[in-house]
Amino acid sequence: MAFEPKIIAYLCTWCSYTGADTAGIARLKSPANIRDIRVPCSGRVSPEIIMRTFEQGADGVLVLGCHIGECHYNTGNHRAAKRLPVLQALLAYAGLEPERVRLDWVSASEGERYSRIANDFTDTVRTLGPIHWRVAERGAHFVWEQEPISHRYSAFSDEQPKHAVYHTAIYDEQTLILQAAARELLTNKLVDCVIGFEVGPRGRTRPAFIHQPENVERLVWNQDCTHNLSAYLSKKLGWGTDGGKKKQPDKLPKAAVVVKPCDSRSINVLLAENRFQRDQVYIIGMACDGIRQGAGFSNDKSGPIQTRCAACNVRTPVVYDTLIGDSEATYREIPPEHIYPGIDHLDALTPIERMNFWLSQFDRCIRCYACRQACPMCDCPICLYERDDSLWVGMGIDVDEKRAFHLGRAYHLAGRCVGCNECERACPMDLPLSLIHRKMAQEMETIFGYRAGMAVVPPPFVTILGGEENLP
Amino acid sequence: MVSVGRHENISLLSYSEVENVSGYVGNYQVRVRRKARFVDESQCTGCGKCADVCPVDVINTFDRGLSLRKATYRNSAQAVPGAYVIEKRGIAPCRAACPTDQRAQGYIALIKQKRYADAYWAIRREHPFPSVCGRVCNRRCEEQCSRGQYDEPVSIMKLKWFVADWAYEHRDELPNMRDKSLVGTPFSHAPTPTGKKIAIIGAGPAGMTAALDLVRIGHHATVFDSLPIAGGMMRVGIPPHRLPYDRLDWEIQQIVDEGVEMRLSTRVYDIPGLFTKGYDAVVIATGAHSAWKLNIPGTEHPDNWLSLDLLRRACLGEKIDLSGRDIAVIGAGDVALDAARVSVRLGNPKVKIVCRGMRASFNEIDEANKEGVEIVRNRVFKEVVIKDNKIVGIRCVEAKVGAIVNGKRQVEEIPGTDHVIPCDLVIWAVGQQPDFSFLPEGSHIRKLSSMGLETDDEMMTSMPGVFVAGDVRRGTTFFVVDAIGEGHHVARCIDRYLRGPEGIQEPPRLPTATYTKDEVEKMMEIGWAAENPRAKTRTIPAEERVNNFKEVDLALTEEEAIAEAERCLRCGICSECLECLTACERGAINHDMKDSFLDLTVGTIVLATGFKDFDPSRIPELGYGQLDNVLTSMEFERLINASGPTTGKVTLKNGQPPKRVAIVHCVGSRDDKYNEYCSRACCMYSLKLAQLVHDYVNAEVHEIYRDMRTFGKDYEEFYNRTRKKGINFYHGRVKGIEQQDGHLVVKWDESFFNQPDHVEVDMVILSTGFEAQADAAKVANMFGISRSPDGFFLEKHPKLAPVETSTEGIYIAGACQSPKDIPDSVAQAGGAAAAALSLLDQGTIALDPSVALVNLLRCAGCGLCVKACPYSAIELKESVASVNTYLCKGCGTCASTCRDKAITLIHFDDQQIVNEMIGALAVEPVVPGILSQLEVVHGI
């Protein structure tokens, strides 16, 4: 028997579901492959549900809503129109044909349009053939090549970052300025704590929490300061909880934090999400010349700078109270096509090859959640992918489940990830996580012209479509 | 409408706009902006006298642009409430720019209407010296004039000159006219005396203006001046060839006639002594009458004259003979020019102006050149060369003169260009300063370190009761308007000082109404103002000017003045001439009114915002706007209306009554290119128009219709009656209207067999369809309701909830929901009112159970759901999301936005959707072609 795809269609109850009814009343043929699920609004269809639908074996997902401007809920469909292209890009990058997800508009009177879209979409998915998404069901049909653990994504980069020259004298000078600033803050009791970097007993640079003015000499600034210290801010500055109900203390804690330009962008993201107040944090911004590869692990103080730093064009913090360092000296013009390094090689592969690559990577994941813990943005009280209800992902270590976790996290970081690479650094299995997050950042910039954390603004998903933004 | 307006339980807020709506059903907070109508609704009887006198013509939108109305207007004769409205955009930029607050747009509008006396009173209201400022002003109003963005500004100053001259010529008639110059001011010609005495030192523009204002309040004002003649710098600084003194003297006499006591030839030395003599306040308005010289060698020689001394002597009529002398006037401003031109008139000597760079107006320089004044620029002065006790020249260096930086002109001397300009008399016109010698030693009146006198915010010096105004305050010469402005201001300050809070307050100001360049160009395109060029300045020939003090420039003629007044763009719409204030017998008009806000708390809201008629100029083949006698139905309605622009007479453009009239149906409706829907009411109103044309115009009527839609009760009968009257009906779709031999030819296709496909007529009426209001999207957004694809407001359900909307407690009625005729609108309005009432009467509402629900344990408080909610139903409370279930409509946008799925939608929660999806996937696809009725598998 010929392949018959299973397709789930999420239909807005006001326009598209009624439109499907209209199609039925008009005796128009609609393929039996499509199973319609009624939702109040296309804006209700969360990308997590669509990803879960593919996990469960659907060959295609169709989301239909009211035409833009006719939404029963005014602007609910705007949100769908903004999320779906990003989800499509993510799934495509993970190896799924983007044609398997479609967002379209059908109004209540457009039975004919519903029928046409349903038929066309079914034909498209039928041509694409069975989905190769669920590894557990594929059996011998499709086997991915298991990669050795030593595989590094840097093999995908055109050009190895050049061996960098680190100006130790400048770092020493800036360390003294930094220490003076920290001493002043602590002595005057402007902050309770200064979060910075120190050199540990084995010579590795590591985060430091300075509470007393006499300890500020521990603070350093050098090419090994790779950690994104803003990850500590939410906990340091957040409100206490009291039996599940958050309580605002009488006096909000205050902290100073040493940030690189990339870290400063994550502070903006956190501020946009009400993690803490701007006046709670004193930002000591460092003009950054790039961080050494392997920083945090080895102390050889030399070697090339990180790939992301070589491609970084934000060399001055976007938000700071004090700026240390010469922002003009660190300024670098980077061609726009080079801002997101490493991803184009993966883009050039076929969907099957890409899926192969990612499965070989996710296969190594041990679900230790180190990436999530290291991430300054991953701060949900209970992670969606670590719940015991198995609604979103099973608790096993099947590669399907590991992929669901990583793709879900990638979607949650779209428009929020600033590219600090803490997840990849923290990963004990060397998963090239930065590739997927960088891809999402690139998509957000292509689709919405939006770079996370450049200002304290809500991410594009929650706002309505602007005049210049693309409609699917 | 009248009964609605008078109903005790209905408050009708006309001329108002809803600014903001918040809250939810049963508790809506509506903020209404009550636009300032500048007429007190409770006082206005609607007599219309204000509109009779209003000089500003505005296109009458109620008459569809077929007539003009005044800026003071009532929308229609039947308007409820019947109170008038003054249309005002704000203060015209010319008025805003003027230190005296002169209502320039007002007198320009009155000149246009040839109401010169009224224009004169409008000027006099703020300005006691129109003859002076009509001639010598620096015209800040013209700098700001919107017309300047199109071609050249209106010659506002010359228009004032024209009015001032007219008033002077008619000075004997003026006392017999009603003096309107005090209307709208706090002043009076015969005020109750307050018993307060004020001494004013200096009879210049500032002092005289202050004195006039003070006597009009009821104070006693005495003006002291050391000169034997009043007028100050106007009289002894402006030479007679620019200002004939008979005009000025007449204007000063008018001030004196109001009761100002003049003490001329009296120099005041003892200011504190004035208080002991019974004066309650003193104004120092002595001006800046001392010219100075540069500090270079040779200036002590007696042939170094001061410009102001020369001007004063000449102005006072002293005979000075300068014939045969070689004069160098040193200076760059208007005073230098005046001194030079006065010198020319005193015996025609050789005169040159030597300066760094001229600052006077080009026109004046040009005239001076014609009179033989030579101008030597770019010189820096080093020495007045004296030989044998006679001046032989002035030694100077050439210099490059650059831009002004930090208030200082950049001058760079060119080395080696030292030379002597020969002359035997030097007139210094490099600057003026006040003479402070009258200030008593050790007095409490402090000078500023820079120049001028120290004052507080209320123009008072450091000595209580002593005020200062005019040039002396600033320490250097400014313009007459500045002095007059300060004179008014100081009079108000003194009044407040003497009478406390009862005193006259500073007048409130509306914002300035400016136009952008694009707006001005658009207005000129529609002929809002005449295209006339700016009036040229005419002068008497140069040869007639020598050795006499005849006035050089000529005033505008009456024709020129009217042509110039027609150039005004009426930026403020209302010109603020205050004629309406004069005309209103009820005192209902208040030009200082401001927009006010009204906050209403209401339970339900009914929207009945109506429609906009289709603009047929969008259909080029119909020729609307291009061809004469192609009218819209609304325009024809106005024409045939007894209170319309022609009082009910239907005529063609040429004044003849039409003999044949075509009525074209479905204009802008039932057309894929414009609007797909049927506008419903057009067929029936077209039939009515056909009957009207047939019965009252006695013309042949041709109706070209697509389908005749007579859907209502008695409608078909009406149609049959119309047919029986002998009106021709043709089926067809009109494809074009053309002009042929003075007639209009309407052509159509899709006609029935054997029927004509064109008709020749004199007039075409286009039955235009209905469209949603231009701001329907804004209104829908504000009230949180949806719109259908055609732009009209969307009802909750077409059959079951036709007046409800998607937002609880908000109802719609009439043509804002869809095109409909009056019976349907009234019926729907009744339905909306009943629905609103029943909700209010119940006191409780049943909410939709499907609303968002927050899991407090999971909520991270990121606030993304707050931003994503289309209804603003979510807010952060104590750092977690909290849903207002009255506002929540259950779209679930929040649930899909939340990363942690801490917020979900009851009845559509994630568990339910995912389980439904898993269930749906468990069914294997049915092979197509076996059971066709199973192909649509909803809900399997």
Side-chain angles (χ1 to χ4, degrees), chain A residues 429-449:
Chain A
M429 304 308 290
D430 275 347
L431 297 191
L433 293 171
S434 66
L435 281 184
I436 200 157
H437 298 313
R438 210 176 279 153
K439 174 67 184 175
M440 294 320 288
Q442 188 200 33
E443 287 295 331
M444 295 303 281
E445 186 156 359
T446 321
I447 299 174
F448 304 114

Side-chain angles (χ1 to χ4, degrees), chain A residues 1 4-8 10-11 13-14 17 20-21 24 28-49 52-54 56-59 69-77 79 83 114 126 239 243-247 272-275 377 379-384 387 389 391-392 411-413 416 457-459 461-463, chain B residues 780-781 783-790 794-796 805-807 848 850 855-871 876-880 889-905 908-929 932 934-940:
Chain A
M1 199 171 78
E4 282 302 326
K6 286 185 193 175
I7 295 169
I8 295 289
Y10 292 100
L11 306 185
T13 185
W14 303 100
Y17 197 78
D21 264 351
L28 293 169
K29 291 208 171 186
S30 301
N33 308 63
I34 293 196
R35 291 95 206 271
D36 295 344
I37 293 181
R38 189 166 73 100
V39 288
C41 177
S42 53
R44 171 67 187 91
V45 185
S46 52
E48 293 91 338
I49 290 183
R52 191 68 177 144
T53 310
F54 284 118
Q56 292 296 326
D59 297 297
E70 295 171 21
C71 181
H72 181 80
Y73 301 108
N74 295 349
T75 53
N77 56 359
R79 274 72 178 199
R83 292 184 200 120
Y114 169 79
R126 193 180 287 124
W239 300 355
K245 214 171 170 202
K246 300 197 173 90
K247 278 229 163 144
E273 294 179 4
N274 303 323
R275 309 294 7 147
M377 303 305 162
D379 54 359
C380 290
I382 311 166
C383 178
L384 197 63
R387 287 186 195 152
D389 54 7
L391 183 59
W392 301 107
Y411 172 73
H412 284 178
L413 286 172
R416 301 168 71 233
V457 290
F461 291 150
V462 299
T463 55
Chain B
N781 201 22
F783 288 91
I785 61 175
S786 316
R787 294 198 301 155
S788 41
D790 52 22
L794 185 65
E795 66 286 345
K796 194 172 184 181
T805 64
S806 55
T807 300
D848 202 314
S850 182
N855 181 338
L856 296 178
L857 273 174
R858 286 186 184 168
C859 179
C862 68
L864 290 185
C865 51
V866 176
K867 285 161 190 146
C869 179
Y871 296 96
L876 281 184
K877 270 188 193 159
E878 292 179 341
S879 190
V880 287
K889 299 277 166 284
C891 64
T893 308
C894 50
S896 57
T897 302
C898 184
R899 285 191 296 275
D900 204 15
K901 304 298 166 213
I903 190 162
T904 190
L905 183 65
F908 285 99
D909 69 21
D910 296 310
Q911 189 90 50
Q912 288 166 327
I913 293 176
V914 168
N915 286 346
E916 193 178 348
M917 177 265 290
I918 292 172
L921 283 173
V923 184
E924 282 304 316
V926 181
V927 179
S932 62
L934 280 182
E935 284 182 5
V936 182
V937 287
H938 306 302
I940 287 182

Side-chain angles (χ1 to χ4, degrees), chain B residues 482-496:
Chain B
D482 293 297
I484 295 170
E486 291 207 1
H488 286 305
H489 187 203
V490 81
R492 291 191 291 264
C493 293
I494 291 172
D495 193 40
R496 287 197 290 270

